[in-house]
Amino acid sequence: MSLPDRAPRYAGARHSRRGRLSTRMPAPVECRAVPILPHPTSDFPLRMAKTAVSPTRAENYPEWYQQVVKAADLAENSDVRGCMVIKPWGYAIWEGIQRGLDTRFKETGHENAYFPLFIPMSFLEKEAEHVEGFAKECAVVTHHRLEPDGKGGLQPAPSAKLEEPLIVRPTSETIIGATFARWVQSYRDLPILINQWANVVRWELRTRMFLRTTEFLWQEGHTVHATSDEAVEETRKMLDVYAEFAENVMAMPVIKGEKTAGERFPGAVATYSIEAMMQDRKALQAGTSHFLGQNFAKAQEIKFQSQAGELEFAWTTSWGVSTRLVGGLIMSHADDDGLVCPPRLAPAHVVILPIYKSDEERATVLAYCESLKAELATQSYEGEAIRVKLDDRDIRGGDKKWQWVKRGVPIRVEIGPRDVAGGGAFVGTRIGEKPQGMDRAKLVAEAPAMLAQLQQQMFDRAKQARDDASVVIDSLAEFEAFFADGQPGGLVYAHFTDGPDMEAKCKELKVTPRCIPLEPLLGDDGPGKCLFTGAKSERRAVFARAY
RNA sequence: CGGGCUGUAGCUCAGCUUGGUAGAGCGCUGCGUUCGGGACGCAGAGGCCGGAGGUUCAAAUCCUCUCAGCCCGACCA
């Protein structure tokens, strides 16, 4: 209708950032220096700049993480215990991850399919280790109908009890394996290269947004091969796909490696993972790829007749990444002002924020913004049109700007009457230098390069932080000192023997062997002596506290 | 499942020890002043104080039971 409602409106002050936080924040003395990535945009140490997220990383890292999830509008807790609602901005990031990976899966010959959410309980029982690993955390469906309980509520109808309970998939090896058993008869049917995008449920006791929730979204690849070599190759190939994606798209440096026996997927012969280091120097397993050998094939009778006419068990693999990657993204890049999106994954590359006072100004500024938006969208970045968002919502300018900072949009462009008059734009990047005025044509021309530079900066920054926190250690005393309470921690490369001695010591120090790197990363990769037993050791493993 | 703790307005909480039918800040709505900015003033909407029972003339406040959630541990993408 009339325009008044388009004019900026104003609400009360917003000083209070207290609340429960304040009581949970550690007292100053306890604020031992948690080493955090340098934050190029902060004015520290001249004055304590006001941060958009509180507490800061240094003050209380776990709480900071939660606040970033909230501030960036990524997700919120739901009415269901342990389950989260992924909000549009968070889901858009997940969609970006899906898109990037899905393309790569297709390029490596995989096809998507979909398997049931429910798995007959008996299926899980077939592979002994698998049962062991998952039985404790399964949601079980026992009835198929509700009825009034006579007290105004509902109850599962006793008459509708299932003969065999169904479990909600914690992972789908069993049901997919059973299906594959039907699909595979001849060596000519192989390989089978399938992926599914799905939700899974693991009834974890403690949950954290994105990092560990009861229900989560993921992708699980399942393949069947005629030979062990081929299956191993597939396992490693998909690990490479994950690593390439993590580093190039998410700007998250990762270490590719094999898991020790204790960390292996239940039922796998070998598990490989990509491990990333978060800003609090804890490791995050960001993706896994399993060589399942013939374990599942035998349990589920995935057999084929070979070229020679012999009946053989097939070799299978499985591999997956989950919405946990979003958590990794946050903890790799976010700062005390909220999320920082790597451009290749950012739901919006550029956000345009119009600034005006009167309706008259609004008209001219908006027209200018619209044309700038269109012009920017003609530019391409990474083979696609630059994603531009024009935020014309009727809320306070400062508020609006900070919302986008907190959401981590790589480039912000503020357009006011002065810019319109001078053919310019006021441009700020999420990390890097202070915002500055810029010629409009220059902005359009340089936008792709700016995005590319931000992407690179983010990777370099994360890698630098990881490398700075990585050490080679050759004595148990040093190892213990490194992980002693109050120490900052990090990634330790050390010789080891997989076994009870190592596991006991790690447990004591709350450390885990993250993986045995496939490639020497700190140069020193020769044989040595196990820290825990003194035995001869061929390889080093990476040890760290982990999520 | 052990050990701590919390349930009061949309959010974060105060009030409870010393019972007398409900408060703050933010958010929200309206008007105004501001504004290249996370501003301010005024006015307003919004709660049967987790649930059930008990004590009492009177319960958010005391007692009992119950439900739910959080944190710390053991387990995990």
Side-chain angles (χ1 to χ4, degrees):
Chain A
M1 279 304 297
S2 56
L3 283 168
D5 66 325
R6 304 301 310 183
R9 58 194 162 77
Y10 309 96
R14 57 180 66 231
H15 293 138
S16 175
R17 291 189 187 283
R18 53 196 180 91
R20 182 204 297 263
L21 284 188
S22 52
T23 60
R24 301 196 64 257
M25 275 158 56
V29 249
E30 297 169 12
C31 286
R32 54 183 150 75
V34 175
I36 295 299
L37 280 179
H39 177 198
T41 54
S42 81
D43 297 340
F44 190 85
L46 294 178
R47 61 189 162 86
M48 286 306 277
K50 183 179 177 185
T51 57
V53 173
S54 136
T56 61
R57 290 164 291 180
E59 284 164 352
N60 184 342
Y61 194 84
E63 184 60 32
W64 163 84
Y65 174 82
Q66 308 244 72
Q67 294 304 320
V68 171
V69 169
K70 194 167 160 185
D73 223 20
L74 299 174
E76 63 187 36
N77 277 312
S78 71
D79 297 321
V80 185
R81 178 203 174 95
C83 297
M84 62 179 170
V85 173
I86 304 177
K87 300 179 78 176
W89 191 254
Y91 198 76
I93 289 171
W94 175 239
E95 285 177 316
I97 292 172
Q98 284 186 302
R99 209 155 57 98
L101 286 173
D102 203 59
T103 303
R104 287 164 174 76
F105 297 159
K106 303 272 170 61
E107 282 169 0
T108 44
H110 303 83
E111 293 176 302
N112 285 332
Y114 188 80
F115 296 82
L117 171 66
F118 301 120
I119 299 175
M121 200 167 72
S122 58
F123 278 37
L124 204 68
E125 296 162 352
K126 287 181 185 162
E127 213 290 331
E129 283 185 37
H130 200 64
V131 191
E132 179 87 10
F134 285 103
K136 291 177 302 232
E137 52 189 32
C138 284
V140 186
V141 179
T142 53
H143 293 75
H144 64 82
R145 194 185 335 119
L146 293 170
E147 64 181 22
D149 64 358
K151 288 176 281 193
L154 292 168
Q155 64 179 13
S159 60
K161 190 158 190 252
L162 297 178
E163 244 171 64
E164 180 184 351
L166 295 171
I167 62 165
V168 180
R169 63 180 164 220
T171 178
S172 305
E173 272 74 9
T174 56
I175 189 138
I176 292 182
T179 309
F180 284 172
R182 291 197 299 271
W183 292 1
V184 177
Q185 287 162 46
S186 150
Y187 70 95
R188 288 188 239 264
D189 296 327
L190 299 177
I192 292 181
L193 306 173
I194 291 290
N195 176 64
Q196 93 163 337
W197 290 96
N199 57 339
V200 286
V201 166
R202 294 182 188 174
W203 214 266
E204 302 289 352
L205 301 179
R206 287 187 61 198
T207 58
R208 289 190 76 189
M209 295 253 226
F210 289 110
L211 297 174
R212 176 163 300 110
T213 46
T214 300
E215 178 190 15
F216 57 98
L217 305 184
W218 80 347
Q219 147 283 307
E220 49 182 323
H222 295 272
T223 68
V224 190
H225 307 266
T227 66
S228 172
D229 283 352
E230 198 184 308
V232 168
E233 188 193 330
E234 166 79 6
T235 308
R236 294 285 296 272
K237 181 199 287 176
M238 298 323 285
L239 187 73
D240 289 344
V241 166
Y242 288 152
E244 185 274 326
F245 177 81
E247 300 205 329
N248 290 339
V249 177
M250 300 183 67
M252 184 170 77
V254 294
I255 299 166
K256 289 187 287 189
E258 181 175 351
K259 288 290 191 184
T260 56
E263 303 284 316
R264 210 174 275 152
F265 177 76
V269 171
T271 288
Y272 299 86
S273 71
I274 51 171
E275 300 283 334
M277 195 196 75
M278 306 294 100
Q279 292 180 64
D280 61 352
R281 301 196 174 198
K282 284 168 79 171
L284 181 80
Q285 177 176 307
T288 50
S289 187
H290 315 292
F291 170 57
L292 303 174
Q294 292 179 309
N295 291 351
F296 283 85
K298 283 176 180 165
Q300 302 178 293
E301 310 237 294
I302 307 175
K303 290 179 290 195
F304 68 97
Q305 206 164 15
S306 70
Q307 207 158 359
E310 307 281 323
L311 207 52
E312 296 178 15
F313 285 113
W315 302 81
T316 62
T317 81
S318 69
W319 27 274
V321 300
S322 70
T323 36
R324 173 177 252 206
L325 282 177
V326 178
L329 186 79
I330 296 166
M331 288 197 289
S332 293
H333 303 304
D335 60 25
D336 296 337
D337 285 330
L339 187 63
V340 181
C341 289
R344 293 186 69 178
L345 209 51
H349 291 130
V350 182
V351 62
I352 301 176
L353 306 168
I355 293 154
Y356 49 82
K357 292 174 200 159
S358 62
D359 291 341
E360 228 172 88
E361 280 182 356
R362 174 172 184 270
T364 54
V365 168
L366 271 188
Y368 186 91
C369 289
E370 291 284 4
S371 69
L372 176 60
K373 177 183 174 184
E375 220 178 318
L376 278 166
T378 62
Q379 295 293 88
S380 73
Y381 169 65
E382 291 296 329
E384 288 175 35
I386 288 188
R387 298 187 279 271
V388 191
K389 188 164 178 60
L390 170 56
D391 186 355
D392 183 33
R393 286 175 305 158
D394 179 23
I395 57 174
R396 283 193 306 279
D399 221 353
K400 193 192 282 188
K401 169 191 152 184
W402 281 99
Q403 283 183 13
W404 292 111
V405 171
K406 288 185 281 193
R407 288 176 166 203
V409 171
I411 299 176
R412 290 185 314 278
V413 180
E414 300 172 14
I415 301 291
R418 288 215 290 275
D419 302 301
V420 176
F426 193 70
V427 181
T429 52
R430 185 58 181 76
I431 57 174
E433 300 87 48
K434 287 215 150 71
Q436 54 185 331
M438 192 183 271
D439 187 63
R440 171 178 171 153
K442 187 176 174 212
L443 168 64
V444 172
E446 291 185 0
M450 288 169 71
L451 292 170
Q453 191 194 345
L454 287 169
Q455 180 81 30
Q456 189 62 45
Q457 278 176 348
M458 289 180 68
F459 179 81
D460 292 344
R461 190 167 86 164
K463 184 157 188 302
Q464 185 69 52
R466 185 192 71 186
D467 293 347
D468 288 349
S470 301
V471 295
V472 170
I473 281 182
D474 285 315
S475 80
L476 186 57
E478 267 183 273
F479 187 83
E480 287 173 324
F482 187 85
F483 287 118
D485 282 340
Q487 290 304 115
L491 306 184
V492 170
Y493 288 72
H495 278 290
F496 75 107
T497 310
D498 199 353
D501 289 333
M502 176 194 77
E503 283 175 8
K505 180 53 75 178
C506 284
K507 187 154 188 160
E508 177 192 323
L509 296 170
K510 293 182 187 134
V511 167
T512 48
R514 299 318 302 157
C515 68
I516 306 153
L518 296 177
E519 297 149 11
L521 286 164
L522 292 187
D524 179 11
D525 200 42
K529 238 169 61 181
C530 167
L531 247 52
F532 311 98
T533 62
K536 255 182 75 179
S537 155
E538 291 302 315
R539 305 291 309 262
R540 286 176 189 274
V542 180
F543 295 85
R545 297 232 161 89
Y547 280 97

